[in-house]
Amino acid sequence: MYKTDNGAGPPTGPAYRLPQDGPLPDLALYERLIDDGIAEADSRGTIVDHLTARRLAIWLAARPREPVYAHGLVRFIETGAVHRHLKNELRKHARSGNFPDQPKAARLLRYCNNRGTELGPVGENFAAACDQIDRADVQLAQFHDRVRQGNVHPQQAWPDTDGPRILALARRDPDTQTVSLVLDATTANIALFAIAAHADEREAHLREVERSGQNLPEGSYGRRNRQAIAARETRIATRLRAVEHAYRTAIEHDTTHPPPAPARTPRSPEPRSGRQIEMEAEP
């Protein structure tokens, strides 16, 4: 359970239990994550997201607080719910220069105000999900520190040989609908091999479908069906090749590579016999 220095816990409801995945970051690391979240929000000209707001609340709750203030912070940390008493306390701290937490209180107040009337809990597993992301972000930050200090020397290795420790982190941004992946070099090479192989298979299926539809009457259901399948396979293969191209550009930055032609490459394997031609649901 989260506790403030004055011993104030959540006012009601079940106690929040830390997940069994290890300790949470210390306050110094939370400050670093908060700074990163604020910088990202400022770069976009928006308020901080739920995750950074919760980190701000954890930082604020770690100091001695009045019971009403402490209860409001702990409630938000556990559920994402914003009580009016919390907003009142944040407003008091944000508008006065006598409180050392004024900048962080002001940031959290802006977040609370931006939520308007939607002040209830944020999801069923708000605290657990945020804790998991906190640990992942700290692991990533520590990995970056080791790289900058020269303590990490990735090796090109295949799974059956010795290689660096596996690093596989993912983070989804619901606002931009993007997913960021962080992989160690060996895992990335293996993933790219699988992506390229799947692109090969999609392109082979595309050629097979196109050949099978060439002799069908124009405008017939069979030909339209194969054209739809070919269009789908082209879209999928193009996305897969885009990932492959982005990766190769990143690791071969000294050489300029033109973007690959979408959905057609000479190195694709021969189509497999009996491949299903009927319309399938696009993944």
Side-chain angles (χ1 to χ4, degrees):
M1 179 193 300
Y2 281 101
K3 293 277 189 182
T4 60
D5 284 354
N6 57 9
T12 58
Y16 170 65
R17 298 183 180 277
L18 295 179
Q20 303 301 313
D21 298 331
L24 291 171
D26 57 27
L27 284 182
L29 286 172
Y30 268 117
E31 289 182 351
R32 178 175 174 179
L33 297 177
I34 289 169
D35 290 342
D36 291 343
I38 290 175
E40 181 178 355
D42 287 347
S43 68
R44 297 186 315 216
T46 62
I47 63 165
V48 297
D49 56 16
H50 293 313
L51 185 62
T52 303
R54 182 175 183 268
R55 290 166 177 172
L56 284 165
I58 290 174
W59 186 92
L60 291 168
R63 281 124 179 103
R65 302 294 177 195
E66 303 86 348
V68 172
Y69 194 8
H71 289 167
L73 288 169
V74 171
R75 180 180 181 182
F76 175 74
I77 292 167
E78 294 185 350
T79 67
V82 178
H83 195 276
R84 60 184 178 87
H85 294 319
L86 174 59
K87 293 182 69 175
N88 290 338
E89 292 297 322
L90 288 172
R91 190 175 295 110
K92 181 173 67 176
H93 283 245
R95 293 179 177 177
S96 172
N98 297 326
F99 295 100
D101 64 354
Q102 189 273 339
K104 289 182 171 59
R107 282 283 182 176
L108 187 54
L109 178 62
R110 287 179 56 194
Y111 161 86
C112 294
N113 289 337
N114 190 73
R115 285 181 57 173
T117 59
E118 299 179 359
L119 302 177
V122 180
E124 296 181 0
N125 301 308
F126 176 68
C130 289
D131 284 344
Q132 185 176 13
I133 296 174
D134 286 348
R135 292 190 178 95
D137 282 355
V138 167
Q139 183 181 358
L140 178 57
Q142 292 172 339
F143 178 78
H144 286 167
D145 288 343
R146 293 197 300 272
V147 171
R148 283 193 293 268
Q149 295 166 4
N151 295 329
V152 175
H153 304 285
Q155 303 173 2
Q156 302 296 325
W158 212 236
D160 56 350
T161 63
D162 291 337
R165 180 180 178 181
I166 295 175
L167 176 66
L169 303 174
R171 181 171 181 179
R172 179 178 179 272
D173 187 333
D175 295 329
T176 61
Q177 292 294 301
T178 58
V179 177
S180 301
L181 292 176
V182 178
L183 307 173
D184 64 83
T186 300
T187 303
N189 286 336
I190 297 169
L192 251 293
F193 180 84
I195 289 173
H198 190 48
D200 287 344
E201 184 174 332
R202 291 288 185 174
E203 290 162 353
H205 188 206
L206 167 63
R207 291 192 298 274
E208 180 184 358
V209 169
E210 288 179 333
R211 281 197 299 268
S212 67
Q214 286 176 352
N215 298 325
L216 295 176
E218 186 70 32
S220 66
Y221 170 79
R223 186 156 187 167
R224 293 197 310 270
N225 185 44
R226 283 155 179 78
Q227 288 171 343
I229 295 174
R232 181 204 61 190
E233 295 294 332
T234 299
R235 292 193 300 270
I236 296 174
T238 299
R239 289 180 181 273
L240 293 170
R241 292 299 183 197
V243 175
E244 181 186 16
H245 175 66
Y247 176 76
R248 298 196 185 284
T249 299
I251 64 173
E252 300 169 5
H253 55 84
D254 292 333
T255 305
T256 302
H257 297 278
R264 297 178 186 277
T265 64
R267 63 188 184 86
S268 300
E270 289 301 318
R272 295 175 298 180
S273 59
R275 177 67 188 257
Q276 184 179 358
I277 300 298
E278 290 80 2
M279 178 70 79
E280 302 166 341
E282 182 168 337

